Amino acid sequence: MSRIAGVFSALREQGRQALIPFVTAGDPEPSVTLPLMHALVEAGADIIELGVPFSDPMADGPVIQRASERALAHHVSLHDVIGMVRDFRRTNEHTPVVLMGYLNPLEVMGYAAFAEQAAAAGVDGVLTVDIPPEEGEVFVPAMKAWGIDPIFLLAPTSNRARIERITAAASGFVYYVSLKGVTGAANLSLDNVRQKLAEIRSCTDLPVGVGFGIKDAQTAAAMAGFADAVVVGSALVSRIEANIGQPTTAIAQIKGVLEEMRAAMDAG
Amino acid sequence: MQKNEMRLTDLPDEHGHFGPYGGIFVAETLMEPLDELRVAYEKYLQDPAFIAELDADLQHYVGRPSPIYHAERLSRELGGAQIYLKREDLNHTGAHKINNTVGQALLAKRMGKTRIIAETGAGQHGVASATVAARLGLECVVYMGEVDVARQEANVYRMRLLGAEVRSVSSGSKTLKDALNEAMRDWVTNVDNTFYIIGTVAGPHPYPAMVRDFQAVIGREARAQMLDMTGRLPDALVACVGGGSNAIGLFFPFLDDADVVLYGVEAAGDGLATGHHAAPLCAGRPGVLHGNRTYLMEDKDGQIIETHSISAGLDYPGVGPEHAWLKDAGRANYVAVTDDEALQAFHRLTRTEGIIPALESSHAIAQAMKMAPQMDKDKTLLVNLSGRGDKDMHTVAAREGLKL
């Protein structure tokens, strides 16, 4: 069983939901990422989504755009991000890591070369925002050949035929984008998410994570009422931005936000 | 040619692919809206009432057909091929961009959308979008990089006069590519009531095909006009290529005319060797950006790099996927012209023919000036004069140390 499947199966037995924090690798500088990843696990993260910086993050709101720009100021490459996961794995063999980003850096490295190197470093899944399954004929098998789960997005605009097609291509879990908008947006409707999740579950047994626009413990707990995983990104990354030059403070604040979410989700 | 061989004009395929290029590389939220757009476009393309309305607008509002002008004095001075200009600069709003915005706005109206968004570099597409939005009473938001807002002040004011809201984009390199990113973010957020008018033949399917089809009126007219004026097809076509909409609009109706040589002219900026340019076809490599696979300007890690051109309309790190395909297929030639060469051509055309070309179009003129002397006097070169140069007065004056 893959690390991701193992985590979901264990949580399911406990009747709990996964908490998945997102941070951008190399933000605000490369040396912060490794201690930050370990801190996320201490604060209750079940899976880590590690953002691969990209110059043109079309699906991201301003908070994560600026995180990408900070990381790119240090020339953090996909190669460097894989290296960070390798370092993380030296002391953590159980927490799955999903790389999240855009396709072009993978195109340049080559799908097979990426999958091989990422798998060797201990990467468990990859979520490339801008590759729908229609364009994934080469990409999906290349990832699966090395045991990397291709994680796909579902959206409020995905109709039933698309949900079926996407869940057929996906493995690990699927990621439901909870609103029409970019990461960190403010127009989340719990009722809409609940309805759509019911439709998705009627198409697949894969765990369903929910993300985009989850800002606080209360929303995280509400989402955990009907999702298998809650993804939180901008609410954490904004703490890095508020504490540039003070990584210890940033990490402490991020742990605080995550611990509150963890407690609220487990209480619910 | 084998009878059942696929013709270049048959592309893209049903998934928007031109060979390995094109396609749909967007976040899931946009997949369904793009499909809705594709269905609407395919439907109305076959709808006689839609086509009639489009043709009437092109005639009475845009001022089509645009003339072809024989630049006799310039041709004589150069001493070679006869240069003809397709006068897209004479269109309403001063460039070819309006051909596409008129078409997409009619489509937006048919689809029941009440809000239009657009990205713009030089501001020509922004002005053309604001223009059609004003005419149809649609809300209009134009995204424009902070750098371009500063260097195209007059066009920003024109858009505001037309009732559009111009949003300055300060992320990334603060130019056209970032304006496109921001427009995509707006679209994904307001997808229910919003129609995104992309200004060039890039972006996810169906945009490259749709924008091409709206711009192909340039080549259809030109083909008939040249036959009428000279009794035969031109020996070569020359057009500038940023995203590539004026070039593909001219080239497309000639793709099956194997004897007509095609030249797309990219911006070499300070020179290809300096790295300061905007010539992905001449000096880039294939990758994925803005919803399609095409040639890009990128670094070794796949990050998109900042481009440079004196002309804001060519200052883009990607290019339409059909151009990528025509390059690989060997059907079109892609070359690059520096800022200095484009400026010389700008002045030369202005002084010899009394026509002030846009800096974008000046790149095509510069290429024609290189080619004409190498060709016999009975050969013909058709250059797409895609826009007029009024918007560039400040840029040209500043180069000469003047402030207007």
Side-chain angles (χ1 to χ4, degrees):
Chain A
M1 190 184 288
S2 75
R3 252 190 295 256
I4 291 176
V7 161
F8 278 108
S9 131
L11 285 168
R12 210 167 258 185
E13 274 175 32
Q14 300 162 17
R16 296 166 73 230
Q17 290 74 39
L19 177 57
I20 308 182
F22 167 98
V23 292
T24 299
D27 173 36
E29 51 184 292
S31 64
V32 174
T33 303
L34 187 61
L36 176 56
M37 289 173 77
H38 288 304
L40 296 173
V41 176
E42 283 168 29
D46 299 295
I47 297 172
I48 293 174
E49 266 191 16
L50 195 56
V52 180
F54 183 52
S55 52
D56 293 80
M58 283 198 315
D60 284 300
V63 170
I64 293 175
Q65 287 172 42
R66 290 194 294 264
S68 242
E69 288 179 15
R70 287 192 295 271
L72 287 177
H74 296 278
H75 304 287
V76 174
S77 66
L78 179 55
H79 193 76
D80 296 332
V81 178
I82 292 170
M84 291 173 186
V85 178
R86 190 181 300 119
D87 291 344
F88 175 74
R89 281 279 169 256
R90 293 208 170 103
T91 51
N92 182 321
E93 289 186 359
H94 65 277
T95 308
V97 176
V98 172
L99 299 189
M100 180 168 182
Y102 296 80
L103 189 59
N104 202 48
L106 277 72
E107 287 261 320
V108 168
M109 190 179 280
Y111 297 159
F114 162 77
E116 180 178 0
Q117 291 177 37
V123 170
D124 301 283
V126 60
L127 196 175
T128 38
V129 173
D130 51 354
I131 187 163
E134 284 86 342
E135 298 286 356
E137 275 178 27
V138 178
F139 177 81
V140 171
M143 297 305 122
K144 288 184 175 172
W146 291 94
I148 296 200
D149 286 321
I151 311 227
F152 285 103
L153 299 174
L154 290 168
T157 50
S158 310
N159 59 30
R160 191 170 185 95
R162 290 200 58 75
I163 295 172
E164 284 170 358
R165 172 175 213 160
I166 291 165
T167 51
S171 63
F173 64 99
V174 288
Y175 184 138
Y176 179 64
V177 175
S178 59
L179 47 77
K180 292 176 192 162
V182 293
T183 52
N187 53 340
L188 189 59
S189 155
L190 282 176
D191 282 344
N192 292 352
V193 176
R194 183 185 294 119
Q195 274 176 17
K196 198 72 184 183
L197 252 61
E199 189 184 356
I200 294 168
R201 287 196 189 287
S202 71
C203 299
T204 182
D205 291 328
L206 280 174
V208 184
V210 173
F212 281 44
I214 297 170
K215 287 186 163 41
D216 52 31
Q218 196 190 346
T219 318
M223 286 295 179
F226 37 87
D228 300 302
V230 174
V231 186
V232 56
S234 298
L236 306 179
V237 172
S238 62
R239 307 297 161 133
I240 291 178
E241 184 159 51
N243 296 284
I244 300 286
Q246 297 163 295
T248 320
T249 312
I251 291 175
Q253 288 188 9
I254 287 171
K255 276 183 82 170
V257 175
L258 216 52
E259 279 162 354
E260 267 185 52
M261 288 183 170
R262 178 83 269 173
M265 284 166 60
D266 290 349
Chain B
M1 186 183 281
Q2 286 173 16
K3 213 172 184 183
N4 58 356
E5 191 176 321
M6 181 180 260
R7 299 188 317 168
L8 287 166
T9 44
D10 290 337
L11 294 175
D13 69 15
E14 59 178 321
H15 303 294
H17 293 129
F18 299 88
Y21 303 108
I24 307 182
F25 295 88
V26 295
E28 174 59 21
T29 311
L30 291 177
M31 291 300 288
E32 189 54 33
L34 282 167
D35 201 52
E36 187 193 341
L37 175 62
R38 180 187 59 77
V39 168
Y41 176 59
E42 286 172 359
K43 174 183 159 192
Y44 289 115
L45 193 66
Q46 309 297 331
D47 175 2
F50 180 85
I51 298 298
E53 191 175 352
L54 176 62
D55 287 347
D57 278 0
L58 289 176
Q59 182 184 347
H60 300 288
Y61 190 66
V62 176
R64 303 207 69 89
S66 67
I68 284 198
Y69 170 73
H70 182 191
E72 284 181 78
R73 188 160 173 236
L74 179 66
S75 305
R76 197 161 55 239
E77 282 189 6
L78 292 169
Q82 300 306 304
I83 295 177
Y84 290 80
L85 306 176
K86 178 63 172 163
R87 299 291 309 274
E88 292 299 299
D89 60 319
L90 295 178
N91 292 340
H92 181 40
T93 72
H96 73 290
K97 292 292 185 187
I98 190 94
N99 301 328
N100 169 48
T101 59
V102 160
Q104 288 200 48
L106 285 182
L107 200 54
K109 208 174 75 171
R110 290 287 206 286
M111 291 174 73
K113 306 290 184 185
T114 56
R115 180 173 178 268
I116 276 176
I117 57 171
E119 85 294 335
T120 198
Q124 292 306 105
H125 174 59
V127 167
S129 298
T131 298
V132 295
R135 176 164 176 257
L136 296 177
L138 300 170
E139 183 190 346
C140 181
V141 173
V142 179
Y143 290 92
M144 191 168 184
E146 202 176 276
V147 170
D148 293 331
V149 168
R151 63 179 165 180
Q152 298 289 344
E153 244 176 312
N155 268 344
V156 172
Y157 186 60
R158 284 168 82 192
M159 288 183 264
R160 288 187 173 139
L161 282 177
L162 288 159
E165 181 190 341
V166 179
R167 292 190 189 162
S168 176
V169 178
S170 57
S171 57
S173 63
K174 306 175 176 58
T175 58
L176 177 57
K177 80 175 177 72
D178 309 284
L180 215 150
N181 292 336
E182 206 57 36
M184 282 280 184
R185 291 178 188 123
D186 180 313
W187 196 31
V188 88
T189 305
N190 302 294
V191 65
D192 294 331
N193 71 342
T194 297
F195 189 105
Y196 179 16
I197 302 189
I198 292 185
T200 191
V201 285
H205 182 60
Y207 282 101
M210 177 170 70
V211 176
R212 174 199 70 197
D213 290 345
F214 285 135
Q215 290 293 2
V217 65
I218 301 172
R220 280 197 306 273
E221 284 175 7
R223 199 171 180 284
Q225 288 166 315
M226 287 302 285
L227 284 172
D228 190 43
M229 287 173 77
T230 68
R232 59 190 188 85
L233 295 177
D235 294 292
L237 307 180
V238 185
C240 65
V241 177
S245 70
N246 90 79
I248 211 78
L250 178 64
F251 294 173
F252 188 70
F254 290 89
L255 287 182
D256 289 333
D257 300 313
D259 292 340
V260 179
V261 184
L262 312 178
Y263 281 88
V265 187
E266 295 193 301
D270 295 335
L272 292 184
T274 66
H276 300 138
H277 58 81
L281 288 168
C282 292
R285 58 179 176 179
V288 171
L289 179 71
H290 292 154
N292 65 107
R293 184 180 281 117
T294 187
Y295 280 82
L296 298 175
M297 304 263 301
E298 60 181 9
D299 68 12
K300 65 175 178 22
D301 298 325
Q303 307 296 345
I304 307 308
I305 57 178
E306 288 186 30
T307 51
H308 168 79
S309 169
I310 190 171
S311 115
L314 301 184
D315 211 348
Y316 179 66
V319 63
E322 191 163 9
H323 286 294
W325 170 241
L326 292 175
K327 171 190 162 76
D328 285 11
R331 177 63 186 95
N333 306 289
Y334 294 92
V335 295
V337 151
T338 64
D339 287 354
D340 287 342
E341 290 170 328
L343 269 170
Q344 284 168 21
F346 172 93
H347 288 296
R348 185 86 180 261
L349 188 70
T350 300
R351 289 295 180 93
T352 52
E353 299 288 353
I355 295 172
I356 303 180
L359 283 173
E360 289 77 9
S361 322
S362 299
H363 286 71
I365 302 289
Q367 176 62 22
M369 283 166 47
K370 289 182 189 179
M371 290 168 63
Q374 315 297 323
M375 298 165 73
D376 290 339
K377 284 181 185 167
D378 61 350
K379 299 285 183 187
T380 54
L381 264 177
L382 175 60
V383 182
N384 200 3
L385 192 62
S386 54
R388 69 181 183 222
D390 306 45
K391 69 185 174 59
D392 296 315
M393 293 297 105
H394 282 84
T395 307
V396 175
R399 273 269 174 156
E400 288 163 5
L402 303 171
K403 195 169 187 309
L404 301 184

